[in-house]
Amino acid sequence: MTGTLKLAGRDLFWPPADELTEAAERIRARLGDWPPTHAPWRICLTPPDAPNGGDLIVIADEQHQHEHIARWQVQGAGVIEADQRGATLHLGGERYALEGQLAEDWIAALAAFLDCGFAPHDALVLALAWRDGDEKRGDEKHGDDAWPTDLARFPRVVGLPAAPSQPFAPCPHDLGLYPVLPSAEWVERVAGFGVKTIQLRRKTAGGGDSLAAELASEIARSVAAGHKHDARVFINDHWQAAIDAHAYGVHLGQEDVHTADLHAIAAAGLRLGLSTHGYYEMLTALHFRPSYLALGAVFPTTTKVMPTAPQGLARLARYVRLLDGVVPLVAIGGISADVLPDVLATGARSAALVRAVTEAADPAAATAALQRSFEK
């Protein structure tokens, strides 16, 4: 556990604010050991004359600085608008609007979470989940730790599309081994090994009738393999084809919730899994009441381009602590047989793997060994 931190040696606030820095140090000391951040953000309590890419400018609603927000962003800075309803971050052309309670020391908490290496939109979520005096609170279950773990205290993401009127169909809380596979042939093979949760991630380039027919055939074969072996087969991305084939479920990315017809997916009785890459995306995903959340990427992965840096085991453990019992969770990203025990030690009850199965010298033996890890 980190004891004393020297945040005062950094240009943490502008103008310099000793009391805020001391509060940030107290909070940071109660959050555990985290690698030093590679992005030393500066929180600007008043707009600097020359903002830069490391600045987060905090403005109050009554300051009427809205006309300057676009200019500050062009200069590379982020802007946080805060009022009694919550806070909105403008950064990199994106807008992150959060509704929730602002503690008196929320800015100090924001600085502390930024120092833990969290991106500004995730650090802001945590700052809104913070309450005055939390740094004095102990967590008997998880040791000497004041990390926010009460979901009821977390803010709400504002401005999201309406969720389907009915929740998505549920799936088991413990999904276990979850291979993500590139073809129907692999799905048939792995389902035959006795794996009960499988995803077909069939990537196609271009369009045309022949490709559409090939994709429909792959999905139909995969769904049939699931029925034959009593396995839960999720289809990645191709939600309409999954509905047509009566698949068990669909897995979508964050960007897909704005384009996919979630109402149609829910009405068809399919389960929905959503990818998340941090606290803000978790809150976004929970708004839609999905069947499960995927948390990642835990480790570096070469199977796809990731929008964020690897999360690591420490973050995964925090995510599981917050959401376990709320929604089924799947750890994903760069997970091999060697690190699977460490992933499961965080409390995660399911893990998605790709190359550990498809690139194994003996896929059947490798799959059996992976399944045994979930039985320990």
Side-chain angles (χ1 to χ4, degrees):
M1 177 63 62
T2 303
T4 303
L5 296 139
K6 298 300 180 184
L7 299 183
R10 286 173 36 199
D11 191 10
L12 194 64
F13 298 103
W14 175 259
D18 291 343
E19 288 188 8
L20 268 179
T21 299
E22 291 171 1
E25 286 185 337
R26 289 196 303 270
I27 294 170
R28 177 64 184 85
R30 297 286 290 110
L31 297 181
D33 289 317
W34 296 87
T37 178
H38 297 295
W41 297 94
R42 181 176 70 161
I43 299 175
C44 300
L45 309 175
T46 60
D49 292 335
N52 60 54
D55 287 341
L56 292 174
I57 302 170
V58 178
I59 60 173
D61 185 56
E62 63 271 13
Q63 289 180 295
H64 302 295
Q65 299 275 17
H66 300 86
E67 68 274 16
H68 301 300
I69 291 176
R71 175 170 57 85
W72 289 332
Q73 288 190 88
V74 169
Q75 293 172 304
V79 181
I80 299 175
E81 296 181 274
D83 58 32
Q84 61 182 359
R85 296 165 296 179
T88 298
L89 168 67
H90 305 266
L91 182 64
E94 300 292 335
R95 179 177 180 271
Y96 306 90
L98 295 165
E99 181 182 86
Q101 179 179 337
L102 287 172
E104 184 176 342
D105 58 1
W106 76 271
I107 293 179
L110 174 65
F113 290 117
L114 288 168
D115 190 69
C116 292
F118 284 83
H121 58 291
D122 287 328
L124 185 59
V125 167
L126 290 164
L128 265 69
W130 189 260
R131 298 291 181 268
D132 292 323
D134 272 2
E135 71 275 13
K136 300 175 183 177
R137 173 179 59 85
D139 187 329
E140 295 180 0
K141 182 177 179 181
H142 299 101
D144 189 22
D145 190 326
W147 200 268
T149 57
D150 183 357
L151 187 60
R153 289 173 28 170
F154 274 65
R156 183 179 71 88
V157 177
V158 179
L160 295 173
S165 57
Q166 64 186 75
F168 288 92
C171 58
H173 188 66
D174 299 356
L175 288 169
L177 177 64
Y178 189 172
V180 179
L181 304 170
S183 68
E185 181 180 358
W186 267 110
V187 172
E188 292 166 342
R189 191 176 180 185
V190 172
F193 297 158
V195 176
K196 295 305 180 184
T197 308
I198 299 171
Q199 182 183 137
L200 173 68
R201 187 162 71 192
R202 177 76 173 183
K203 297 300 180 182
T204 57
D209 293 342
S210 61
L211 281 174
E214 179 188 354
L215 175 64
S217 174
E218 286 282 296
I219 291 175
R221 284 178 58 187
S222 299
V223 171
H227 292 159
K228 178 181 178 180
H229 297 284
D230 193 26
R232 300 174 284 267
V233 175
F234 288 86
I235 307 301
N236 184 279
D237 285 350
H238 304 288
W239 58 270
Q240 185 61 64
I243 291 175
D244 296 341
H246 305 288
Y248 181 84
V250 175
H251 181 92
L252 299 177
Q254 284 278 315
E255 65 283 358
D256 298 318
V257 300
H258 299 282
T259 58
D261 190 341
L262 301 185
H263 299 269
I265 297 170
L270 273 65
R271 286 78 178 167
L272 176 67
L274 287 178
S275 294
T276 65
H277 308 92
Y279 283 103
Y280 184 88
E281 291 192 357
M282 288 177 204
L283 296 180
T284 298
L286 288 174
H287 165 79
F288 297 103
R289 298 181 290 180
S291 308
Y292 75 79
L293 294 188
L295 311 174
V298 182
F299 302 107
T301 177
T302 60
T303 59
K304 63 183 297 187
V305 177
M306 298 306 301
T308 57
Q311 299 289 314
L313 292 170
R315 292 193 186 196
L316 177 62
R318 308 286 178 164
Y319 301 155
V320 171
R321 189 187 307 178
L322 177 67
L323 297 176
D324 188 32
V326 175
V327 63
L329 303 173
V330 179
I332 189 169
I335 301 173
S336 65
D338 292 339
V339 299
L340 180 58
D342 297 326
V343 170
L344 298 180
T346 67
R349 293 181 172 89
S350 179
L353 300 92
V354 183
R355 291 178 298 162
V357 174
T358 60
E359 296 183 7
D362 184 341
T367 299
L370 291 167
Q371 287 181 298
R372 286 195 293 271
S373 296
F374 289 87
E375 299 168 0
K376 297 178 180 178

